[in-house]
Amino acid sequence: MAQLRTGHIVTIRNRLWRIDSIYKNELSATSIDSVTNFQKRFYIPLENIQPASMDIPQFDKIGELSKQRLLINAYRISLIHGTSLLMSLQLSRVIPANFQLVPVVMALNSSRIRLLIADDVGLGKTIEAGLIINELIARHMAQKILIITPANLREQWQETLLNFFNIEFRIISSLHRRYLEKELPIGLSPWDYFQKLITSVDYAKRRANKNEILNYEWDLVIVDEAHLCARPHTEASSRAITMQRWGLLHEIAQKAKHLILVTATPHNGYTDSFASLLDVLDVNATNRDNLTFIDKSKARNHVCQRRRADVKQWLKDQGGDFNPFPERDAKEVRITNLSKPEVDIYKNIRDYGRELMELMAASSAQYVAQFTILHLIKRALSSPKALRVSLQNRMDRLRERINSKVTDEEINRDDALSIIAESDNLENITTEEAQRRIEKTTFGESVTQYEIKILNDILEKAKKIKPKGDSKYTELVQRTIPELSGYSKKLMIFTRYKDTLDYLQKNLAKDFSDRQILSIYGDLKSEQRKEIFKKFQTAKQAILVATDCISEGMNLQYLCSQVVHYELPWNPNRLEQRNGRVDRFGQPEGTVHIRTMIVEGTLDDDILERIIERADRIRAEFGFSPPFFNDETDIINRLIKAGKTPRTRRPKKRDDPSQLTFHDLLEQKISATDSDKEANADMDEQRMMKQSEQIRNDSFYGHTDIRLPDIERKLRQTEDTIGSKEEVEGFIVSSLKLFQCDVRQTGEYTYTIVLNDKRLILRDVGERIESCTFDKNYAARNPGTELIDLSHALVTRLVQILKQQMYLDENQYGRTAHKISAAIEKPIAMLKVLVRYVVETEKPSVVEEILTIGFHIYDEKILPSEEVKKFDSSNPLPGKRSPSEIREDLQEVFANKYWEKELFDRIGKNKQSMVEERKHLVGTLDYEELPSWLEGVTNISYASHDIITVTIGYPA
């Protein structure tokens, strides 16, 4: 057996394959002569592997020029690129703004991608990361990919990559793993067998899972919400959990060839914690022994961190003066006139909380009891139904406790503090489930008997509050929705709880019968969500009620410009994430209207005053949201520490039933004077401002050397290589018609396609596409219309059939053709040659290009590139040449191969250009000692070539 090398063409099992990689006795190769173009792994000792090459064009088959162009375009689309082309634009449904291409260009400017994408909320970080994923896959630079994200974002990543980039990732978790293992060959791990996986950070950090993950080399690892994995600064209740996440990130970074960290809040106010994220990028920008030092000159090429103001300035510097973002009209809607039953409920919950804390004063479960009380308060602030459901759940559990023989320790085994501290991040516990567990926690038989009576009294009062007696709901339907209807007939209402969502949907349907009332919540499957979004999009008047399942990762700017927060999120990061779904780049309306409903005189006031307003002041001064609040545990601890003074801006009497201070709630001793508490609050705010200043000093806001001309140049280069939008559309339509498919235009941008060739009928496509478009802008604004682009499965299949058909079918042969042109004076031949190079890194990779050379057939003269381009782009003129004449000229081309020297000279020059470009890149990285992953990156060798087409040119 001849020596096998990456990039070589071989025959295995009577097929042609391109070798993609060789590891010990295993060979990975891609089929180059089949319809599916699939990749397969072979065990070398068991296979008959022989060197091969593609046959030269057949002289006795004279194809048509139009079919030849389709064949060449099919090859252009499927090239393995190694130059800085933005393949991801043509291979995705995304319409990125110029500034969103900056991370892609930054990534492509490095042989090993180590990048922190830290753009602000609403700038499209997930799309930016997706473009890089798509780019690496299109270049065959990444095949084995792992995305690590908080559990609540797994499905959103999966949907985004499938819907926008047509890339299928599998989710792996405790639940999903059981289904994945049914597909596994015997003895293989899902981490090994499945090439593209999404998992949660808390599933991945488990020892057994982490060890499995670290067994494999990953081409690309993406860590979303990466700040959750940063090394913690100080001792805290969640430090053990955080250290496990940090350990996962630190170790997996060493196994990843390419690493991308994604977060809008990379800096928590402590330099060492922020520097730990830069440290795992491994770009020599930190001192591992002293993480208070950051070499910004080395790190800046690996950090893309921009606020809205930075993007505006970036665009302005390029000569533009428009604001790409909407204005924000945000107001509070205060609920002031509570009914007597509502006041009584707040008073009863306050009394319940105070007495429960007295009973639990010496108990180790006091902390859980505090959260139980807080939970009931939040549910009461949300809606009467949410409170009723929680009260009933808790009473049912208490009665179960009385009738049970088990101990408190046994009955509360699953309700440990970690459920509270980590409720938003646990692998298999949703926020709703964590809340239900809190409701079911019990604190001893004596406490249980007391609780049932008082909770039943509150429940009976809550049952009497109907929608017309619900002050907040009345405010919503009588004033807030009518006010917003003056701007638009569509709005979104966010609520934290599914019970409140059901309550709103049921009653809004009665009060607004002229509108569609839709809802989205966490248990809905992807297809169900798409259908609801489609209904919301096409409706003339609609209200969409949603939980926080769409508060992150979803881009809803084309659907709506108005948001109502039915209850105040206690975390300013969560509030901003919700707003960022519509208040983002691409919002077609000039202003987004945001209303936040607050029950005055309750804990909402404390949260607003102590947390939200401070965050707003910092955002106004520094231009970014302060990322100090990781979860509600942190927020509540800050409020306790600051203390709530009775002298708020809206003074309340001490016995006012609607006012429940944190000191009342948590039974803190009120020994400090009002001035002491004010001083504590001022110190807390000063500390936050100081930390914000530290964040600004350490960060890289607006720091990028990628300018708009660089982007425009790469866009032009991409278009030259792959084709313009119009050329791509023409290629798809012409190819479909070649295979007798019906393509009928039904509107300015829409088509109906009937697939009459069975080879084009795919499982996810079917025989008929009722409504489709080739225009990304139209598809973005019309979710019910399918986008047909280069990433679509139909086009992928179309390209492969074209390549196969035009090699074999005499009626559709495309490898030879002739053209009469006014651009030449003598008969010429033009060759399109597919050339493969190998980059000799530790894991060699293949790079492809199509070279075009032209020459006179009979006087042995090579034509200058400009003349060949002129001939190639010229329109064919009418006229005929006999088949015998064309065959004779074709035979002459391959009988006298004087042009081969020019071909190999061009191959050598292009190879050297790639070497020089990579040497320049390595030189800019400023390493004292070349890392192992860079070894061989400038060692590029020629692997193989195939002549795709021959065009014989004749003068007019």
Side-chain angles (χ1 to χ4, degrees):
M1 182 184 299
Q3 183 180 6
L4 302 176
R5 296 188 60 201
T6 301
H8 282 184
I9 304 300
V10 295
T11 57
I12 309 175
R13 303 179 189 178
N14 298 318
R15 302 202 79 96
L16 285 177
W17 303 80
R18 180 195 65 237
I19 299 177
D20 296 325
S21 65
I22 301 172
Y23 179 72
K24 296 183 179 178
N25 281 325
E26 184 179 289
L27 180 149
S28 293
T30 298
S31 168
I32 64 172
D33 63 352
S34 71
V35 171
T36 55
N37 195 37
F38 60 95
Q39 188 178 66
K40 188 175 179 63
R41 288 182 285 184
F42 298 96
Y43 185 61
I44 296 174
L46 298 182
E47 301 290 346
N48 180 18
I49 304 174
Q50 298 297 326
S53 63
M54 194 178 292
D55 294 335
I56 64 172
Q58 299 181 38
F59 307 148
D60 59 339
K61 293 181 180 180
I62 310 299
E64 296 178 19
L65 191 63
S66 61
K67 294 183 175 65
Q68 186 178 81
R69 286 176 175 172
L70 289 177
L71 178 62
I72 292 170
N73 284 331
Y75 270 97
R76 289 169 68 187
I77 289 168
S78 56
L79 282 177
I80 304 175
H81 288 280
T83 53
S84 296
L85 302 176
L86 297 176
M87 291 287 295
S88 50
L89 302 187
Q90 294 284 18
L91 296 173
S92 72
R93 292 165 169 77
V94 175
I95 316 162
N98 286 333
F99 74 85
Q100 291 175 320
L101 298 177
V102 169
V104 187
V105 175
M106 292 177 69
L108 296 180
N109 282 345
S110 175
S111 298
R112 187 200 193 205
I113 299 168
R114 313 297 277 189
L115 188 62
L116 170 62
I117 301 178
D119 286 343
D120 204 355
V121 173
L123 298 187
K125 294 180 295 300
T126 305
I127 293 299
E128 291 169 347
L131 287 167
I132 297 174
I133 294 173
N134 217 25
E135 198 74 46
L136 295 182
I137 292 174
R139 296 161 180 267
H140 295 250
M141 292 172 63
Q143 180 180 349
K144 193 167 182 60
I145 304 173
L146 177 65
I147 297 174
I148 301 174
T149 179
N152 62 311
L153 296 181
R154 293 172 308 193
E155 284 75 14
Q156 291 176 21
W157 269 93
Q158 186 183 46
E159 291 173 16
T160 297
L161 292 168
L162 183 61
N163 295 339
F164 287 105
F165 301 100
N166 207 32
I167 306 171
E168 184 177 2
F169 275 75
R170 308 295 291 271
I171 293 174
I172 181 169
S173 69
S174 299
L175 175 63
H176 294 86
R177 184 163 186 158
R178 292 197 294 269
Y179 297 100
L180 295 180
E181 287 177 343
K182 293 179 181 179
E183 303 177 37
L184 291 178
I186 296 175
L188 287 184
S189 162
W191 300 103
D192 178 28
Y193 182 74
F194 296 102
Q195 298 296 290
K196 297 174 180 64
L197 288 170
I198 299 172
T199 192
S200 77
V201 60
D202 290 310
Y203 184 71
K205 80 175 192 294
R206 295 180 187 176
R207 180 176 297 178
N209 294 331
K210 184 175 78 170
N211 290 341
E212 275 200 88
I213 292 170
L214 296 175
N215 274 337
Y216 307 106
E217 301 290 337
W218 297 91
D219 296 325
L220 171 64
V221 172
I222 293 180
V223 182
D224 191 20
E225 301 296 341
H227 61 279
L228 298 175
C229 299
R231 197 177 77 172
H233 170 68
T234 57
E235 294 292 339
S237 60
S238 61
R239 181 175 173 84
I241 295 165
T242 310
M243 284 301 291
Q244 290 175 12
R245 293 175 181 165
W246 159 247
L248 170 70
L249 175 62
H250 179 70
E251 292 184 64
I252 202 168
Q254 301 174 49
K255 302 292 289 187
K257 179 179 181 181
H258 305 297
L259 176 67
I260 299 174
L261 307 180
V262 180
T263 171
T265 55
H267 203 310
N268 62 358
Y270 299 103
T271 297
D272 59 339
S273 187
F274 173 57
S276 71
L277 295 178
L278 301 179
D279 184 59
V280 298
L281 293 180
D282 190 26
V283 292
N284 205 27
T286 58
N287 182 340
R288 193 155 293 175
D289 297 326
N290 178 18
L291 285 177
T292 59
F293 168 78
I294 298 173
D295 188 332
K296 298 185 74 171
S297 65
K298 292 181 178 178
R300 63 183 298 133
N301 292 328
H302 301 273
V303 180
C304 185
Q305 185 178 27
R306 297 166 296 180
R307 302 160 294 189
R308 284 193 178 195
D310 299 322
V311 172
K312 291 178 185 177
Q313 187 62 47
W314 189 82
L315 293 170
K316 184 178 180 180
D317 290 345
Q318 318 308 319
D321 58 358
F322 73 101
N323 181 359
F325 302 101
E327 298 298 324
R328 180 183 291 193
D329 168 32
K331 296 177 183 176
E332 302 164 11
V333 177
R334 290 190 162 270
I335 317 302
T336 57
N337 298 316
L338 297 178
S339 66
K340 186 178 185 305
E342 290 172 319
V343 171
D344 287 344
I345 285 174
Y346 284 116
K347 179 179 184 301
N348 291 155
I349 295 177
R350 183 199 68 179
D351 293 342
Y352 164 68
R354 182 179 291 115
E355 293 179 35
L356 181 60
M357 293 310 299
E358 287 178 358
L359 291 170
M360 299 298 298
S363 171
S364 60
Q366 187 183 60
Y367 195 56
V368 180
Q370 292 170 355
F371 270 89
T372 302
I373 301 163
L374 275 175
H375 173 66
L376 291 178
I377 292 172
K378 287 187 289 185
R379 300 280 284 187
L381 289 170
S382 181
S383 70
K385 179 177 181 181
L387 177 61
R388 289 195 295 265
V389 170
S390 289
L391 291 171
Q392 190 64 59
N393 287 343
R394 183 152 187 78
M395 289 171 60
D396 290 344
R397 182 61 172 225
L398 293 174
R399 290 190 178 103
E400 178 187 342
R401 171 67 184 88
I402 291 175
N403 297 326
S404 173
K405 301 293 185 182
V406 298
T407 65
D408 291 322
E409 181 181 358
E410 290 172 324
I411 204 166
N412 292 329
R413 183 172 295 147
D414 293 330
D415 303 315
L417 292 179
S418 62
I419 292 173
I420 296 168
E422 266 199 293
S423 61
D424 284 336
N425 299 307
L426 288 178
E427 167 62 28
N428 291 314
I429 302 178
T430 64
T431 302
E432 292 279 347
E433 173 62 21
Q435 292 156 3
R436 284 192 289 268
R437 292 193 180 191
I438 291 172
E439 292 167 359
K440 294 181 178 181
T441 304
T442 61
F443 307 111
E445 187 172 348
S446 59
V447 179
T448 298
Q449 292 173 336
Y450 158 76
E451 283 189 89
I452 289 177
K453 180 180 182 304
I454 191 169
L455 293 176
N456 189 64
D457 290 341
I458 300 173
L459 178 60
E460 291 304 314
K461 292 176 181 177
K463 287 179 179 179
K464 295 177 182 179
I465 299 179
K466 306 301 180 184
K468 290 184 179 180
D470 180 352
S471 301
K472 184 163 68 166
Y473 180 77
T474 301
E475 177 69 32
L476 175 73
V477 298
Q478 292 186 357
R479 282 174 284 276
T480 303
I481 291 179
E483 180 224 345
L484 293 177
S485 296
Y487 304 114
S488 170
K489 299 301 181 183
K490 292 183 184 179
L491 66 89
M492 289 177 53
I493 300 176
F494 273 109
T495 177
R496 178 168 183 171
Y497 302 110
K498 173 65 165 54
D499 296 317
T500 299
L501 178 145
D502 294 336
Y503 172 77
L504 289 173
Q505 185 175 25
K506 176 182 177 181
N507 292 295
L508 288 172
K510 297 176 182 177
D511 292 323
F512 295 92
S513 57
D514 59 333
R515 302 191 187 196
Q516 284 198 55
I517 310 300
L518 305 165
S519 67
I520 288 183
Y521 48 93
D523 289 341
L524 291 181
K525 293 185 168 73
S526 174
E527 291 304 318
Q528 293 173 305
R529 293 190 193 187
K530 289 179 187 176
E531 187 61 29
I532 293 169
F533 281 134
K534 181 179 176 180
K535 289 180 180 179
F536 188 59
Q537 168 72 29
T538 56
K540 292 183 179 180
Q541 299 185 83
I543 297 174
L544 176 63
V545 188
T547 64
D548 282 316
C549 69
I550 63 169
S551 67
E552 298 175 89
M554 298 295 293
N555 302 329
L556 307 176
Q557 67 268 36
Y558 294 120
L559 300 181
C560 183
S561 61
Q562 302 185 100
V563 170
V564 174
H565 303 287
Y566 195 65
E567 63 268 299
L568 176 73
W570 287 9
N571 190 328
N573 297 342
R574 172 67 68 191
L575 187 66
E576 192 57 28
Q577 285 167 342
R578 287 180 176 182
N579 294 336
R581 298 314 98 213
V582 299
D583 184 10
R584 61 191 301 112
F585 185 90
Q587 170 60 252
E589 299 296 330
T591 302
V592 296
H593 303 279
I594 298 169
R595 300 292 180 264
T596 305
M597 307 194 77
I598 296 172
V599 181
E600 192 170 85
T602 65
L603 287 177
D604 277 357
D605 261 346
D606 295 289
I607 298 294
L608 183 71
E609 181 181 7
R610 297 290 179 186
I611 304 296
I612 305 295
E613 290 183 352
R614 290 183 186 180
D616 288 342
R617 287 195 293 272
I618 292 173
R619 186 183 298 111
E621 179 168 346
F622 294 96
F624 55 82
S625 301
F628 305 135
F629 315 106
N630 292 325
D631 52 42
E632 289 189 2
T633 311
D634 184 35
I635 291 170
I636 292 165
N637 287 335
R638 284 176 178 272
L639 287 166
I640 295 170
K641 182 178 179 181
K644 180 186 181 299
T645 171
R647 295 181 181 178
T648 62
R649 53 185 176 177
R650 294 175 177 78
K652 297 285 180 181
K653 294 180 181 179
R654 177 65 182 159
D655 60 351
D656 190 303
S658 68
Q659 174 156 354
L660 177 64
T661 70
F662 272 88
H663 289 289
D664 289 335
L665 174 68
L666 303 179
E667 203 58 32
Q668 302 294 318
K669 298 299 182 182
I670 308 177
S671 57
T673 64
D674 287 351
S675 59
D676 289 337
K677 286 180 281 185
E678 290 287 3
N680 288 338
D682 290 340
M683 289 177 62
D684 191 49
E685 181 151 359
Q686 290 172 12
R687 180 179 60 81
M688 290 168 64
M689 296 296 283
K690 183 178 180 181
Q691 284 182 296
S692 299
E693 183 65 41
Q694 187 66 47
I695 292 174
R696 182 163 62 183
N697 292 338
D698 288 343
S699 296
F700 298 79
Y701 289 116
H703 293 182
T704 176
D705 295 327
I706 306 297
R707 315 308 298 169
L708 192 58
D710 299 321
I711 302 292
E712 300 290 352
R713 176 173 55 82
K714 287 176 170 55
L715 289 174
R716 287 194 299 271
Q717 186 182 12
T718 301
E719 188 170 294
D720 289 344
T721 301
I722 301 173
S724 65
K725 181 181 72 173
E726 293 74 20
E727 288 173 330
V728 169
E729 179 178 338
F731 163 74
I732 296 172
V733 172
S734 297
S735 300
L736 287 169
K737 289 181 177 179
L738 177 68
F739 295 112
Q740 309 305 313
C741 298
D742 296 328
V743 183
R744 182 168 58 89
Q745 190 161 0
T746 56
E748 184 178 0
Y749 300 104
T750 57
Y751 296 81
T752 294
I753 297 175
V754 179
L755 301 172
N756 295 320
D757 191 313
K758 292 183 178 180
R759 294 173 298 177
L760 294 172
I761 298 175
L762 304 172
R763 183 185 61 184
D764 297 330
V765 177
E767 296 182 13
R768 183 183 181 92
I769 304 175
E770 193 61 45
S771 179
C772 63
T773 184
F774 302 104
D775 187 277
K776 292 182 180 182
N777 286 286
Y778 186 87
R781 288 165 173 78
N782 296 272
T785 302
E786 188 167 357
L787 178 65
I788 306 293
D789 63 357
L790 295 184
S791 68
H792 197 282
L794 172 62
V795 178
T796 303
R797 175 60 61 86
L798 192 61
V799 165
Q800 297 309 318
I801 294 176
L802 270 171
K803 290 163 69 173
Q804 184 189 59
Q805 190 89 348
M806 293 188 177
Y807 274 78
L808 304 176
D809 192 327
E810 291 188 13
N811 296 322
Q812 294 182 345
Y813 195 68
R815 297 190 68 191
T816 61
H818 78 284
K819 175 181 179 180
I820 299 174
S821 170
I824 56 175
E825 297 178 351
K826 294 181 179 181
I828 71 165
M830 181 178 69
L831 306 182
K832 297 284 185 179
V833 184
L834 175 66
V835 184
R836 303 177 189 88
Y837 306 90
V838 177
V839 183
E840 303 286 358
T841 49
E842 182 178 355
K843 185 178 179 181
S845 58
V846 179
V847 174
E848 294 178 336
E849 67 173 343
I850 294 178
L851 291 181
T852 304
I853 62 170
F855 48 88
H856 289 159
I857 296 176
Y858 294 101
D859 62 5
E860 299 190 2
K861 178 183 177 183
I862 302 296
L863 296 175
S865 297
E866 293 75 16
E867 291 187 27
V868 179
K869 286 181 181 179
K870 189 176 179 181
F871 167 75
D872 198 9
S873 61
S874 65
N875 293 321
L877 298 177
K880 291 185 177 180
R881 289 293 189 275
S882 68
S884 60
E885 181 182 2
I886 299 171
R887 290 191 190 98
E888 183 179 335
D889 291 336
L890 283 170
Q891 289 175 341
E892 181 63 26
V893 167
F894 289 96
N896 183 9
K897 295 185 180 180
Y898 72 90
W899 46 266
E900 279 194 334
K901 181 179 184 303
E902 173 68 15
L903 173 62
F904 282 105
D905 285 347
R906 288 274 302 279
I907 290 173
K909 289 177 182 178
N910 287 6
K911 183 190 75 171
Q912 190 58 36
S913 295
M914 283 189 278
V915 169
E916 295 301 324
E917 180 183 359
R918 288 166 182 256
K919 283 183 177 179
H920 173 73
L921 282 175
V922 172
T924 63
L925 296 179
D926 192 26
Y927 279 100
E928 295 179 4
E929 183 178 349
L930 200 64
S932 59
W933 54 266
L934 272 177
E935 292 178 1
V937 75
T938 61
N939 184 8
I940 300 175
S941 61
Y942 158 78
S944 60
H945 76 270
D946 294 309
I947 296 173
I948 303 171
T949 63
V950 183
T951 309
I952 303 297
Y954 297 104

